[in-house]
Amino acid sequence: MTLKIYNTLTRKKETFRPIREGEIGLYVCGITVYDYCHIGHARVLVAFDAITRYLRSQDWQVNYVRNITDIDDKILNRAAENNEDYTKLTARMINAMHEDERALAVLEPDSEPRATGHIDNIINMIQNLVDNHYAYRADNGDIYYRVKRFPDYGKLTNINLDELLSGARVEPDEAKEDPRDFALWKAAAEDETGWDSPLGRGRPGWHIECSAMSTSTLGETFDIHGGGPDLPFPHHENEIAQSEAATGKTFVHYWMHAGAVRVDDEKMSKSLNNFFTIREVLKKYHPEVVRFFLLSSHYRSPINYSEDNLIEARQGLERFYQALRDFSDVALLNDDELKQSSWYKRFTEAMNDDFNTREAFAAMYDLVRELNTAAREQRSDARHLAAQLKGLGALLGLLDADPETFLQGGGTLGQSASDGLSEQQIEILITEREAAKTAKDYARADELREQLQGLGVILEDSREGTRWRRE
RNA sequence: GGCUGGAUGGCAGAGUGGUCAUGCAGCGGACUGCAACUCCGUUCACGCCGGUUCGAUUCCGACUCCAGCCUCCA
């Protein structure tokens, strides 16, 4: 089955053709670690995690590289504000990032290079660019990329160099030959953070670290480069200019960019200061609800982070776990068994079409209905349907929790204690209600049920007894 | 202003040249002591104007509006 991927470079959905048969080199721009990750980071992390999991399930050998930018002006400024060494700040933020990733079931990439671990590669690449006149050393000691010398500049985002110049936003800098040039190496004084090198003492500018890390881990030309919605310009445009000038080869075949996360229908940005960190979000919502929410739109569409939409995601996920409730013990199918399934076929058709997770969900919801019907009729295929549902969920990193635990957790974590009702207390009230029901004292039974409902506990009666879940 | 992408039912959100998206919500029914869960049925749709076509929400063009990037940001 052919895999189609929307390529930012061509602005078209294209049939994916790997450089080497069966293999995919994937580089995703990771985090600049000067603060906690926010919900926008979460989207990129979760989207490429789901994509990578899916590709591997289709027998692609994926080499997934996601970098950490751990040296940068924002980091140095923040460290100075905190009056701490910048490596202390980045170490703390990297730990926090890893915690957030684990919570969201984001698997580790195959490698996670850090800018400070690639200083030699960065220096070599800049030296190469200087030697070939793609870069020059300015009077202030900074080294800039000579944008004019790279004729393809702007091919990713279709910008016109002259118009870029007329845009007043380009910062005029006396040291530059041309205001459009950007820094590769920033000169550093002895008492500033920097590395000694043939380029002079300094530190890398933003952009060059990704060119160095990606080409040194995946080769001068690789398959897919991904990132957030604000990266095509200037970051990826500059990466192309640096890398292709340095190697003389095509840098990347497919460019993938996630859509923006909005907050209550407002643009989310650092300057508006309206972003939510992942850890704040996880205080309100179960991590799988957040993951499900992020995957419930196509990865390229804008998505709106709001109370309503998160509640909706929770309800959707609850539908899956309700269906799996009586099948928590079913074993996962092996690959061959799963691939026999017609549901699997529909699911993969959706995913092979530029990773259409929402369409894949539609197939899973239809499977849920079939499963519920089978279970109601006590059909023998119910267990197999449940196993297929879990199998499809696993391809996206979903539905791995114990259904009862998920439903009784009520879509958030750790709220049972603050609710004032322990599981034991709930069970006691349910037993009391059972007694009232047996005695046909329905008024008392309803009173108990309403009491529990007021505390966020929903009861569900069945022939086998009463189950409960939190809203 | 330039460059991208989009406009689908009450909301969210896919997709298709002519028969169903899907989820939530609503309505009717089954189940239930009553509910909840679940199942069955069902209402509600493709921004606006032209064109192509036997037929367009789907293709083409104009228009209007919205979002992202062009400034730190994933």
Side-chain angles (χ1 to χ4, degrees):
Chain A
M1 206 167 357
T2 57
L3 174 67
K4 296 216 165 147
I5 296 179
Y6 181 89
N7 189 352
T8 308
L9 184 64
T10 57
R11 281 156 253 125
K12 277 197 269 260
K13 225 188 266 183
E14 298 176 352
T15 298
F16 176 74
R17 298 189 198 290
I19 292 166
R20 279 183 298 194
E21 196 57 42
E23 297 179 27
I24 297 178
L26 168 65
Y27 182 92
V28 174
C29 285
I31 315 293
T32 301
V33 282
Y34 68 104
D35 205 343
Y36 293 111
C37 291
H38 55 64
I39 185 73
H41 294 118
R43 184 177 202 190
V44 174
L45 292 169
V46 167
F48 283 100
D49 179 67
I51 285 168
T52 308
R53 286 174 187 255
Y54 176 72
L55 289 172
R56 292 195 169 122
S57 79
Q58 302 308 106
D59 301 324
W60 289 99
Q61 195 181 322
V62 182
N63 188 2
Y64 179 21
V65 179
R66 191 183 61 224
N67 74 289
I68 296 175
T69 295
D70 62 349
I71 176 65
D72 162 275
D73 285 356
K74 291 189 290 297
I75 292 171
L76 296 175
N77 292 340
R78 180 63 60 88
E81 281 170 32
N82 295 353
N83 202 18
E84 64 181 333
D85 191 87
Y86 84 97
T87 55
K88 229 181 122 190
L89 170 68
T90 55
R92 196 166 67 246
M93 289 308 152
I94 289 168
N95 276 337
M97 176 184 82
H98 286 321
E99 274 176 23
D100 293 341
E101 287 166 357
R102 281 192 292 272
L104 291 170
V106 170
L107 300 175
E108 289 175 26
D110 295 291
S111 59
E112 195 173 49
R114 301 181 185 191
T116 54
H118 282 255
I119 297 294
D120 287 350
N121 286 325
I122 290 169
I123 290 167
N124 289 341
M125 187 174 259
I126 296 173
Q127 188 64 58
N128 174 329
L129 292 170
V130 171
D131 292 346
N132 291 293
H133 311 291
Y134 283 103
Y136 59 92
R137 185 190 179 85
D139 292 341
N140 63 3
D142 290 356
I143 296 177
Y144 292 100
Y145 187 94
R146 189 175 272 132
V147 167
K148 256 191 317 203
R149 186 160 153 72
F150 187 69
D152 272 350
Y153 193 83
K155 69 178 174 182
L156 179 66
T157 53
N158 217 18
I159 55 160
N160 179 314
L161 262 188
D162 296 332
E163 282 160 2
L164 189 59
L165 190 56
S166 65
R169 296 292 177 77
V170 177
E171 205 163 309
D173 188 328
E174 290 302 314
K176 293 180 188 176
E177 285 179 2
D178 184 316
R180 297 165 296 195
D181 293 346
F182 57 92
L184 299 170
W185 190 252
K186 296 186 172 184
E190 275 308 316
D191 59 341
E192 291 179 318
T193 302
W195 286 261
D196 291 314
S197 82
L199 308 166
R201 182 177 167 77
R203 59 179 188 275
W206 183 41
H207 313 306
I208 190 66
E209 84 284 14
C210 279
S211 286
M213 285 187 273
S214 59
T215 53
S216 67
T217 52
L218 293 172
E220 294 180 334
T221 302
F222 56 92
D223 296 294
I224 304 174
H225 190 133
D230 45 353
L231 293 184
F233 188 89
H235 185 56
H236 290 160
E237 205 69 77
N238 290 352
E239 276 190 59
I240 292 172
Q242 294 160 347
S243 306
E244 298 195 348
T247 68
K249 292 178 183 156
T250 300
F251 180 40
V252 166
H253 286 177
Y254 301 86
W255 286 89
M256 294 178 69
H257 293 97
V261 177
R262 315 190 83 219
V263 173
D264 291 328
D265 275 322
E266 296 269 331
K267 170 186 153 73
M268 180 179 80
S269 73
K270 293 279 182 191
S271 51
L272 292 176
N273 205 38
N274 64 341
F275 58 92
F276 286 90
T277 65
I278 295 175
R279 41 201 54 213
E280 285 172 316
V281 169
L282 293 182
K283 281 181 193 158
K284 287 185 76 177
Y285 305 101
H286 189 288
E288 189 170 355
V289 169
V290 177
R291 186 176 172 97
F292 186 84
F293 162 71
L294 293 171
L295 293 174
S296 63
S297 301
H298 185 91
Y299 76 89
R300 282 191 284 116
S301 305
I303 194 168
N304 186 33
Y305 177 81
S306 70
E307 179 98 29
D308 285 353
N309 288 341
L310 268 290
I311 288 172
E312 190 174 308
R314 194 190 75 196
Q315 288 172 326
L317 194 56
E318 277 173 355
R319 183 164 164 77
F320 287 109
Y321 276 119
Q322 283 277 11
L324 290 171
R325 211 169 188 180
D326 292 322
F327 302 99
S328 56
D329 59 328
V330 296
L332 278 178
L333 300 170
N334 67 41
D335 278 5
D336 289 340
E337 286 171 327
L338 185 60
K339 287 177 180 178
Q340 297 299 313
S341 158
S342 60
W343 301 102
Y344 175 88
K345 187 161 178 286
R346 205 177 133 196
F347 179 97
T348 52
E349 273 171 14
M351 287 300 289
N352 283 335
D353 187 9
D354 196 29
F355 310 104
N356 193 336
T357 49
R358 180 65 180 214
E359 182 74 14
F361 283 179
M364 290 169 70
Y365 278 119
D366 282 341
L367 170 54
V368 163
R369 189 179 311 109
E370 184 72 20
L371 167 59
N372 284 334
T373 300
R376 226 166 61 97
E377 295 172 354
Q378 308 204 330
R379 268 157 45 193
S380 59
D381 61 335
R383 288 180 68 80
H384 185 59
L385 290 166
Q388 290 173 66
L389 180 59
K390 280 183 77 167
L392 296 183
L395 298 188
L396 298 176
L398 294 168
L399 305 184
D400 193 37
D402 173 62
E404 202 69 20
T405 306
F406 178 85
L407 292 164
Q408 295 188 343
T412 53
L413 282 181
Q415 78 163 23
S416 49
S418 61
D419 265 19
L421 267 195
S422 67
E423 291 181 20
Q424 215 174 10
Q425 288 171 303
I426 293 168
E427 298 291 350
I428 288 168
L429 290 171
I430 288 175
T431 308
E432 193 180 334
R433 177 166 166 272
E434 289 298 309
K437 275 175 66 180
T438 309
K440 301 235 189 287
D441 183 358
Y442 293 122
R444 176 62 185 152
D446 289 353
E447 190 187 321
L448 286 161
R449 185 172 62 200
E450 277 157 31
Q451 185 191 338
L452 281 164
Q453 187 160 9
L455 294 163
V457 176
I458 309 288
L459 299 188
E460 295 171 12
D461 292 340
S462 73
R463 281 193 211 88
E464 290 78 35
T466 298
R467 298 195 289 204
W468 63 274
R469 65 187 161 91
R470 290 186 207 269
E471 346 178 63

